Amino acid sequence: MSQLQNEPTTVWKDVTLLTMTEGYGLIRDGAIAAKDGKIVWLGYAQDLPEAYADAEIISGGGHYLTPGLIDCHTHLVYGGSRVTEFEKRLSSMSYEDIAREGGGILSTVRATRNTDEDMLYLSAENRLAHLQRNGVTTVEIKSGYGLDLDNELKMLRVARKLGRKPDIDVVTSFLGAHAVPPEFEGDSNGFMDYLSGEILDAVMRENLADAVDAFCENIAFNTDQIEILFTKARERGLPVKLHAEQLSNSGGTILAAEYQALSADHLECLDEEGVKYMAAAGMVAVLLPGAFYTLRDDRIPPIELFRKHAVPMAVASDSNPGSSPVLSLTLMVNMASTLFRLTPEEALAGVTRNAAQALGLHDRGILEVGRKADFALWDISHPAELAYHVGGNPCVAIVKNGVPF
Ligand code: NIG
Ligand code: FE
C-alpha cells in the first residue's frame, strides 16, 4: 500500500453543511469526511458508514461548514499605498481624472517598481492573511503594476511564492495590459507589441501565469489592441479574461466572448447584447461591488439580464490599492446583496461554485465526493447571515486540503 493510501481519514461532525451544489444544499446535523486532501463522504451524520469508525473525529462545534471561499479577482501584490488619492477623490476628483494626471494605476506602478520581491511578498502576505481569516482558501492574483519585463515577472513570482503556502492556492493572471507605462506614453500599440511578445514569452518560459487578463476601457486599451494579446495567449494555450464595461460600454465583453474567455469582470455598463454573447460563450460574470462602492458608481451591473440568460455570477474583492482596497470577501457578499440585489444564496454561490468556474477550476467550489477538502467554518445560525453582517468576521476556521488551520 502506498503511503498516501495510509493517510488517516478525518471526519467533521456536528456541522450544518452548505454544499452549494444547487442553492445552498443545506444538510443539518451533517458530517463530512476527507482523506488525502479530498472529500470522501458527506451526508447526515447518522448515515456515516461504519468504515469511518476509526477516523479522526473533529467537532465542528455546531457551526456551518461551506466550501472554502474563492476570491477570483484580486490585485493583492503591489507596492505603496494610494491613501492620498483616496483623500483627493473625497474632495471631488474622479478616478479617471486622477488616472489622467499620472496618478491611479501609474502611481502604484512607480511604487511597485521601487519595491523589492521580499517586501512585495510580505505586504501581499499580510493582505492575504485578512482574506484567509475570512474563509478564503483559493485566491486569484494579477500582475499589472510592473508593466515592464522585470517588474511583471517580479509580481508574478511573488504571487507564485504565496501559492506555496500550505493553507492557500493561488491562481495567477498576467495583466500587463493594465495601463500604458510612462516609457511608452503615446505609443500604446508599441507597448502592446512588447507585452504580447517579449514579456508574454518570458512569463510562459517561467510558467508564471495561469491566464491572461487586460483592462479594456477608454483610459486603458481598446478592443483592437487587446485582440493582439488574446490571439497570442490563445496560441500558447492560456485562457483569457477581461476587465470590461466598467466605466463605459467599450465592446470588451463581446471580444472576450469571441476568445471563449473564462470571465468578464466589472460589467456595470454591459448591455443585453453583451450578456447574450457571454451566455453563448459559457462565460462567468465577475461582479466587483467593492470597486462599485469605492468609486461611488451609480450604474449596477445588469443582474436581471444575467439571470434571464443564465450567465453564472461570481463575486470577488478586486482587492487593489485604488478602486477597491478590500480585505474581506464576506463584506463583498454583503455588498453584492445590498448594492447589486443578489439574493444571499446567489452571492454565496458567487464566492464558491461560480468563482471556481471563473477560474476554470473544476475540483472545488462545492462540497461533493472527489472535490478538494477545502472548507470554511462559520459561527452563524442561518445561511443568509453570511450576507447579512456588514463587517465583522464570522469565520472560525478554515480547512485546506483536509488540514485544519
Ligand atoms: O480592477 N480596472 C482596473 N483595474 C483595477 C484598478 C486598479 C487600480 O486602481 O490600481 C480594478 O478596479
Ligand atoms: Fe481588477
Side-chain angles (χ1 to χ4, degrees):
M1 240 192 206
S2 79
Q3 210 183 340
L4 260 189
Q5 285 163 320
N6 282 330
E7 286 281 303
T9 304
T10 308
V11 178
W12 282 262
K13 276 177 142 176
D14 197 15
V15 284
T16 298
L17 302 177
L18 299 181
T19 66
M20 300 311 295
T21 38
E22 221 190 304
Y24 286 129
L26 187 141
I27 301 176
R28 220 173 276 293
D29 298 320
I32 187 161
K35 184 174 162 59
D36 303 332
K38 294 205 168 125
I39 298 169
V40 290
W41 187 89
L42 81 165
Y44 291 101
Q46 64 185 29
D47 299 332
L48 187 70
E50 233 354 80
Y52 295 106
D54 295 336
E56 182 196 357
I57 305 286
I58 297 181
S59 169
H63 296 312
Y64 276 64
L65 186 152
T66 67
L69 303 191
I70 299 170
D71 193 347
C72 67
H73 180 141
T74 86
H75 308 248
L76 267 188
V77 174
Y78 60 82
S81 153
R82 302 248 288 280
V83 67
T84 49
E85 271 177 29
F86 169 67
E87 288 188 309
K88 278 189 191 166
R89 271 191 289 107
L90 297 180
S91 59
S92 89
M93 268 185 93
S94 75
Y95 183 70
E96 285 142 302
D97 291 341
I98 289 172
R100 281 198 193 94
E101 70 167 31
I105 293 172
L106 288 182
S107 73
T108 300
V109 171
R110 286 190 290 278
T112 303
R113 288 178 173 181
N114 287 329
T115 306
D116 71 25
E117 211 165 301
D118 290 343
M119 276 307 295
L120 280 180
Y121 180 86
L122 288 175
S123 66
E125 184 185 39
N126 178 43
R127 289 186 281 271
L128 179 57
H130 285 274
L131 294 175
Q132 292 180 275
R133 281 195 289 273
N134 187 230
V136 170
T137 54
T138 299
V139 69
E140 185 256 17
I141 301 179
K142 303 174 193 300
S143 66
Y145 295 122
L147 308 187
D148 64 18
L149 181 65
D150 290 349
N151 289 295
E152 283 294 300
L153 296 186
K154 177 174 80 176
M155 288 187 71
L156 290 168
R157 281 192 206 111
V158 169
R160 279 280 190 248
K161 190 169 164 204
L162 288 165
R164 291 200 279 275
K165 293 162 74 72
D167 49 353
I168 190 80
D169 283 329
V170 173
V171 175
T172 60
S173 300
F174 170 53
L175 177 59
H178 196 194
V180 179
E183 59 278 15
F184 277 90
E185 203 185 327
D187 184 19
S188 53
N189 289 333
F191 181 59
M192 188 50 87
D193 288 342
Y194 171 51
L195 269 184
S196 47
E198 193 179 335
I199 304 190
L200 186 59
D201 280 346
V203 166
M204 295 299 295
R205 246 190 331 272
E206 289 195 37
N207 185 26
L208 288 174
D210 301 312
V212 168
D213 195 352
F215 186 18
C216 184
E217 195 54 68
N218 46 36
I219 54 167
F221 296 92
N222 63 38
T223 48
D224 290 345
Q225 293 168 327
I226 290 167
E227 190 154 17
I228 295 170
L229 177 68
F230 279 7
T231 304
K232 286 281 167 68
R234 197 157 66 177
E235 278 167 18
R236 290 152 178 283
L238 273 185
V240 300
K241 54 175 76 174
L242 193 64
H243 286 71
E245 281 40 277
Q246 179 188 11
L247 309 170
S248 63
N249 191 344
S250 314
T253 302
I254 293 179
L255 174 75
E258 284 163 354
Y259 283 79
Q260 279 83 45
L262 289 167
S263 68
D265 305 34
H266 285 289
L267 303 174
E268 278 80 355
C269 301
L270 188 65
D271 58 14
E272 184 158 16
E273 193 197 3
V275 177
K276 285 185 186 161
Y277 270 88
M278 290 185 77
M283 288 164 67
V284 176
V286 177
L287 309 178
L288 306 169
F292 172 90
Y293 167 81
T294 303
L295 301 180
R296 302 179 77 222
D297 205 340
D298 50 14
R299 296 150 299 195
I300 74 166
I303 306 302
E304 265 315 319
L305 293 175
F306 294 137
R307 289 184 182 126
K308 176 175 163 194
H309 295 286
V311 172
M313 292 179 279
V315 173
S317 70
D318 195 15
S319 190
N320 76 64
S323 64
S324 190
V326 167
L327 296 173
S328 159
L329 197 53
T330 53
L331 182 59
M332 296 304 98
V333 170
N334 167 267
M335 287 189 182
S337 305
T338 307
L339 300 175
F340 293 170
R341 316 310 288 171
L342 264 62
T343 65
E345 190 183 299
E346 285 173 326
L348 190 58
V351 292
T352 53
R353 183 173 72 233
N354 295 342
Q357 189 181 333
L359 296 178
L361 298 173
H362 306 293
D363 61 350
R364 67 195 76 186
I366 59 175
L367 303 178
E368 187 181 69
V369 169
R371 305 269 177 159
K372 255 177 179 292
D374 289 358
F375 314 141
L377 283 107
W378 307 95
D379 183 13
I380 54 174
S381 51
H382 188 288
E385 248 186 271
L386 290 171
Y388 168 67
H389 294 286
V390 187
N393 181 13
C395 184
V396 292
I398 60 164
V399 174
K400 182 69 187 165
N401 296 317
V403 179
F405 284 93

